Amino acid sequence: MAGNSFGKLFTLTTYGESHGPALGGVIDGCPSGIELDLDAIQQELDRRKPGQSSIVTQRKEPDVVQFHSGIFEGKTTGTSIGFVIENTNQKSHDYTHIKDSYRPSHADYVYDQKYGFRDYRGGGRSSARETACRVVAGAVAKQMLKGMEFYAYVSGVGALKLDKTYNELDLTQIESNIVRCPDAAMAATMETYIKEVRGKGDTVGGVVTCVIKNVPVGLGEPVFDKLHAELGKAMLSINAVKGFEYGSGFEGCTMLGSEHNDAFNTDGTTKTNNSGGVQGGISNGMDIYFNVAFKPVATLIQEYETIDKEGKVVVMHGKGRHDPCVVPRAVPIVEAMAALVLADFFLRNKMYN
Amino acid sequence: MAGNSFGKLFTLTTYGESHGPALGGVIDGCPSGIELDLDAIQQELDRRKPGQSSIVTQRKEPDVVQFHSGIFEGKTTGTSIGFVIENTNQKSHDYTHIKDSYRPSHADYVYDQKYGFRDYRGGGRSSARETACRVVAGAVAKQMLKGMEFYAYVSGVGALKLDKTYNELDLTQIESNIVRCPDAAMAATMETYIKEVRGKGDTVGGVVTCVIKNVPVGLGEPVFDKLHAELGKAMLSINAVKGFEYGSGFEGCTMLGSEHNDAFNTDGTTKTNNSGGVQGGISNGMDIYFNVAFKPVATLIQEYETIDKEGKVVVMHGKGRHDPCVVPRAVPIVEAMAALVLADFFLRNKMYN
Amino acid sequence: MAGNSFGKLFTLTTYGESHGPALGGVIDGCPSGIELDLDAIQQELDRRKPGQSSIVTQRKEPDVVQFHSGIFEGKTTGTSIGFVIENTNQKSHDYTHIKDSYRPSHADYVYDQKYGFRDYRGGGRSSARETACRVVAGAVAKQMLKGMEFYAYVSGVGALKLDKTYNELDLTQIESNIVRCPDAAMAATMETYIKEVRGKGDTVGGVVTCVIKNVPVGLGEPVFDKLHAELGKAMLSINAVKGFEYGSGFEGCTMLGSEHNDAFNTDGTTKTNNSGGVQGGISNGMDIYFNVAFKPVATLIQEYETIDKEGKVVVMHGKGRHDPCVVPRAVPIVEAMAALVLADFFLRNKMYN
Amino acid sequence: MAGNSFGKLFTLTTYGESHGPALGGVIDGCPSGIELDLDAIQQELDRRKPGQSSIVTQRKEPDVVQFHSGIFEGKTTGTSIGFVIENTNQKSHDYTHIKDSYRPSHADYVYDQKYGFRDYRGGGRSSARETACRVVAGAVAKQMLKGMEFYAYVSGVGALKLDKTYNELDLTQIESNIVRCPDAAMAATMETYIKEVRGKGDTVGGVVTCVIKNVPVGLGEPVFDKLHAELGKAMLSINAVKGFEYGSGFEGCTMLGSEHNDAFNTDGTTKTNNSGGVQGGISNGMDIYFNVAFKPVATLIQEYETIDKEGKVVVMHGKGRHDPCVVPRAVPIVEAMAALVLADFFLRNKMYN
């Protein structure tokens, strides 16, 4: 109820602060007998980890996941899967500058107001470091959902927007560059721009597009737990996300019904896919696709004025090793959350059969 | 788990098909001692009801809510509140045309695939008629949340977009016209356009903007149940919604961090509000505002080809009395869902105090 | 969260006060395609209703259930099933005597303390009248669980205890007498005793034993949601229940392990069944059996002293038409709750297959 | 949904197998600002640990809890509290004898049936070793519930039954002997008996009584989540528990209403307490007390016949270091589960104020 669990049947509960001894989580509801490729899970985590390329934060965290339970002889046992990621980068930082002050557009102020005090080290629980646990669980979910394919990629950085739809892109090329944009030319432009922004101590936002293929018909629960509603919640729960749209999205609302409706082929597939693979909240077997908007990272390597706990104006200077643009590292997180949503609905749909 | 409940502490569970004997629901978790203005609840329902103006469906449904429990001597008792809305418009329609065929971009096909068969009368459970129950519960939630103010309005119809922010509008004027757009000139333009679209038997999408004022600091639960994530889910669960953005939204992701950050005033308020009243998933006391994109209604009063259950091509002709544009009637639904989300977080926040 | 829902996948949410306009509920999670025998549901309700025999309360309530949704062409649709039971016996009683006073061993005092005030008419929400909704939902659950058999019966009234195990009884005889004890001689003795107690304006407690046959192996979820733990909660949630034991129960704790262990037959069944059909919280395919202890009804038709809201001593005299012994009418309630528990675990177990 | 979480607002999710690398859990919903005495938590764990006395299993497990999150500067932060207990006693046992065979009255058979295979090492997830995590969380809950007092003690071992009520005992003497029976004479008799039973390689059951003092009025949620119903579920979820009764319990059902009703004092307390501190499912401020029946441990140090996976009869011989009687070590587990239930209702009750 305090918001640290996600999913109803395939459930992830997480814990951990940015600079505490460890992060971890419990995956509950994973069926038994699934052969887990632990290396593949670690690889997903590596896609998210700091220091992986020249355009992300240069912090060093190995982010190695250890599993404590729920796996026996290489297979899931049907019992809860506990895992831990130790924080190895816990050197005694100097937090004096943020201990008593509130960074703009961070959670410092609201945490203090809500809880009376806060673990200010590195943002505590509000740090996006927490998403490492999501990636672990999402990687388990992906392995449960054999056959479904999850492709997230960067489609926008600041004003730079990929003007091709996912169908016009080679989705196998996502990992071919450090931006994780499958269009090589745009990726290069984005990389240059991110570096330019970083050079000014500034940050920039972006968009991640996600495509899910081979989703069976029937996933999603009317009326409140529509498939796209849970996908939306999942994405909006990721740090820095400001918007979500699926299928035709915001653009679709400018269209006429006669343009927007997806006519059927005789096999139940549709000629167009403005629906984004979801009709009435239930998957219709077509590709699911959606966009996720990320705001610019709030931590600037610049000097600025803000207030302290007493409401006095103070001058702060952002320091440390931060991402100038969050979307390249957000790609595996978006995929992970999508996989968690699909895993949950996959199990929920078993009730009906 | 089958998706008919919303909220964790302030919970709404609903039932009812478009053409069944009645719709209804149970509100659980409403604290005791709240004086309920039942007329105000009915008024909210009247804002949603069919036939209220010349630009909405001309179906006649009085939509009168009856309360069965949980209220005694004018006040909530703290026990569950059961209510029923009878369907009075249940005349024996002829459903032959939709019984065995699948309307494009409706839920007919996926319901059949998921459940094996469906109540095809008027769309059954997939009909937006279900949202009447949401409006009832949202109206109760509003009364619990004394002091908070909910203003939803139409900010877009097709390509027509209100280019004023909510701060530039007089939100008391929302109900002054049948479009529910607080800008009289734009409202008139929109009305004309909707009628034009209807004249062709077509439909058009739109955008509803919602503003919530006087939200106390501290509502929202990190990490998965962020305030805006639950708002997003709530909105996306409304029929025909394709997208959600809050604060700076999709536009915000094109900005630099130095432009986007909201600097603090000394009282903890912020000079700008790109955050949309939410930081780190928790309300910061500033106005919450967000946009909700609605696709064009799928039912056209036109002839079109589609498929039947056997996958054969059939010609259908949309008939009946449908909304040419859903947003005017969606306004009270958006407010209701926002109130349900806030009510839930209001109670959840009590855990900490 | 306010306690008006039961079950996680097969969920019942109820509402209604003893003397309000109606009781009702929503069953969510019932799979689609189940042919419902509505008469059989009404019959279960008739087994619980007041006035059915000379040893139960003589109040007249027809208790007719009306279904509002979730059923189409005789079958469940997979959407939520709403139902209502109108209160026809709502004549304007005189509640002056209980309005401001607290009846001993009733919920009057704690409701006032918890909620600030209470619906005092007939006990409001704390009345066992609420269990009518459980019986409706339990009857639906039974029909979903084709093949499982539920036999509850009265095994104790006051000091009168049936000394035969369920294996020594003819369970088809439960409905052959008004006590619902399948041993005719004991039933007669119990009936006489209940009438004697009633003659003094007193009440007496009793025990209901329940047997569930043909439960498949594998139902129940370790570690917190053990099958018998949920059965225990279900039974203890029925008004007036003071204890629950399954299999060897309290007697079993006096035994040695060498006496108590259930040796296996080669087909996985066991030679004895001290386990009561549950091992490690999971059904093992043997008969499930358990006992439920009911306290004597608190309402006496006698004069007694108690206190009013101001803490002053007042003299009250119980009146009205009350059950001298609750167990004959509790039999269908016990069965209903058992069916709800099994239905929930039946669906939950589908996750693993 | 797979049963590894307990509680709705104050939630514990656990993981871990008997012989895996570690056990652990996540406590979610604990309010911020609670000063945690970590030594007191470890002490509770020490009361449960193996090898603590001559009448419990002689296995050696230090059972040291490490906290990973949710605590900062000695106080809870309001975020999720992750903790781990490493298994240090993981030497490579020889499991050949249980790998392919089913021990009577253990969970081996049902786990294989439910999940397709099982972690057979030391019982895997079905081992009572899992309860260590409950004790940790219960100890946190106790510290949140300042003022409430939890006293569990052994009141029965086999046929030996303490014939004093809790009011006649000095509850500060529970820890004065290794049986955890506050009556010294009975404790000595029980100890002798347990050793005698162990000498034969046999085991014996027992009863734990629990008393909770200083519970405020108003905890518990009608109708399904009655306080005693959740207590019952909590207790029945502990390994080896066969029955639960509170207040007058099974004995109460033999009484007349005129004997059983608890007359009020003018301050709202009652002259007797057959209600066991709970009326209508809600605490009334009187002492809560209940009994929990534990069956004899199923593992005998004797030779016996059982079946293997193929259904063939095999001869097994129990070995290892097992508890001859589980109740002395069950005492802190009962207290922990009681504290978890009360913590949950304590938070739930905040909704109403």
Side-chain angles (χ1 to χ4, degrees), chain A residues 62-143:
Chain A
D63 281 358
V64 176
V65 62
Q66 306 164 51
F67 287 95
H68 281 178
S69 69
I71 306 169
F72 185 60
E73 298 178 341
K75 290 184 295 185
T76 57
T77 59
T79 63
S80 47
I81 301 171
F83 64 88
V84 168
I85 301 167
E86 286 184 19
N87 280 329
T88 58
N89 192 12
Q90 275 182 274
K91 49 179 169 175
S92 54
H93 293 277
D94 178 11
Y95 298 106
T96 321
H97 63 302
I98 59 170
K99 184 174 183 297
D100 298 319
S101 297
Y102 298 135
R103 294 167 296 166
S105 292
H106 273 90
D108 302 344
Y109 172 75
V110 291
Y111 266 62
D112 257 18
Q113 294 288 317
K114 184 178 181 75
Y115 300 110
F117 80 124
R118 73 185 196 281
D119 178 349
Y120 46 74
R121 300 167 304 165
R125 184 68 176 151
S126 73
S127 163
R129 182 143 182 68
E130 160 264 317
T131 57
C133 293
R134 305 185 185 208
V135 171
V136 171
V140 172
K142 276 185 187 175
Q143 296 194 30

Side-chain angles (χ1 to χ4, degrees), chain A residues 39 47 78 92 155 177 185 192 195 273 334 343:
Chain A
D39 292 338
R47 294 173 76 204
S92 54
S155 60
N177 61 69
T192 304
K195 288 178 174 170
N273 186 15
V334 166

